[in-house]
Amino acid sequence: MLTIAVSKGRIYEDALPLLEAAGIVPLDNPKTSRKLILATTRPDVQLVIIRATDVPTFVEYGAADLGVAGKDVLLEHGAESLYEPLDLKIAACRLMTATPKDMLEIPKRVRVATKYVKTAQSYFASRGIQAEIIKLYGSMELAPLVGLADCIVDLVDTGNTLKANGLEPRDLIMDISSRLIVNKAAMKMKHQDIQALIDQFKITLAQRSQANL
Ligand code: AMP
């Protein structure tokens, strides 16, 4: 049995066509079902539906053989304990700093609200900015509005969330997309099955990039 960890929402939606091309179609829809383990049309493959930040943990400990995780989550988790064989090029967005519209530039001493503590710390340190990082678990956009922070670090896609809260994107920290991650022991023990899946994903990704040329 191969177990694949995926988070609900955009990553799940974007991963579905890739999985389908590998003959893996979930038998339940996580939007309407409360099941956390989804059987699929392939009897040897199941999905576990978990929070995005938990995907690397499940895969690291072998509770899932494979997973689909955003690069943002992997940067925070640390990727040494996992294989990351493939950029799936899905759920693409940007990790950015953002400030209130009227802030002219980010000061040399700054308070930053984010859930990306490690990534933000190393980003500001690399720019010689002294940053006090305040860890939040969501609604980062609120922090500058209520005086909790000068600046946030968050994922930006269309920019609508920032705009709706009077913020604007500033500096690009990193382009983000979702990656396939693999448990190190499973890569050895279930090599054939996992490699076949990786190869199929590669074929689909190559077809996609050809179609976009
Ligand atoms: P947007 O308003 O389109 O810029 O989207 C920004 C909001 O969606 C923020 O709250 C982000 O944390 C979240 N978001 C955007 N893209 C992604 C993604 N690829 N994965 C997870 N969350 C995302």
Side-chain angles (χ1 to χ4, degrees):
M1 176 63 86
L2 279 184
T3 300
I4 307 176
V6 188
S7 56
K8 258 192 203 177
R10 181 155 172 210
I11 290 180
Y12 180 85
E13 301 300 331
D14 284 5
L16 272 184
L18 282 176
L19 291 167
E20 192 173 347
I24 302 166
V25 179
L27 299 182
D28 276 294
N29 179 350
K31 266 193 190 157
T32 50
S33 163
R34 287 175 174 262
K35 279 187 190 167
L36 300 176
I37 300 180
L38 304 185
T40 74
T41 43
R42 263 181 60 176
D44 61 329
V45 179
Q46 64 181 6
L47 305 187
V48 288
I49 307 298
I50 55 182
R51 282 186 77 112
T53 45
D54 290 334
V55 169
T57 308
F58 273 66
V59 174
E60 179 180 343
Y61 287 93
D65 303 299
L66 303 112
V68 180
K71 188 67 188 170
D72 52 321
V73 168
L74 293 171
L75 285 172
E76 283 296 304
H77 181 88
E80 314 76 42
S81 51
L82 302 156
Y83 290 128
E84 191 190 311
L86 215 49
D87 180 352
L88 297 173
K89 300 198 161 72
I90 57 172
C93 57
R94 289 152 292 150
L95 186 66
M96 301 196 70
T97 62
T99 64
K101 274 200 178 114
D102 52 9
M103 185 184 278
L104 294 179
E105 62 173 324
I106 295 179
K108 286 285 168 211
R109 286 172 69 103
V110 69
R111 245 196 200 180
V112 183
T114 187
K115 58 179 165 184
Y116 303 105
V117 172
K118 280 197 216 166
T119 313
Q121 241 152 12
S122 65
Y123 171 74
F124 285 106
S126 75
R127 311 199 95 210
I129 295 172
Q130 209 178 333
E132 181 188 346
I133 312 283
I134 300 176
K135 164 102 188 180
L136 293 180
Y137 292 87
S139 304
M140 264 83 79
E141 305 82 18
L142 183 60
L145 307 183
V146 294
L148 179 60
D150 309 301
C151 164
I152 66 170
V153 168
D154 196 8
L155 299 178
V156 181
D157 182 12
T158 60
N160 289 341
T161 307
L162 292 178
K163 203 169 171 191
N165 291 292
L167 304 178
E168 62 183 23
R170 291 259 166 189
D171 299 314
L172 175 69
I173 299 178
M174 190 182 239
D175 285 310
I176 300 291
S177 55
S178 291
R179 312 300 165 102
L180 185 71
I181 55 173
V182 183
N183 173 266
K184 286 191 169 174
M187 192 66 173
K188 291 197 188 86
M189 309 282 287
K190 304 182 182 180
H191 186 264
Q192 256 193 333
D193 288 343
I194 291 176
Q195 194 56 52
L197 205 52
I198 293 173
D199 290 344
Q200 182 55 57
F201 286 149
K202 278 187 183 161
I203 290 169
T204 310
L205 292 172
Q207 285 168 346
R208 280 185 179 184
S209 85
Q210 281 246 309
N212 286 335
L213 282 180

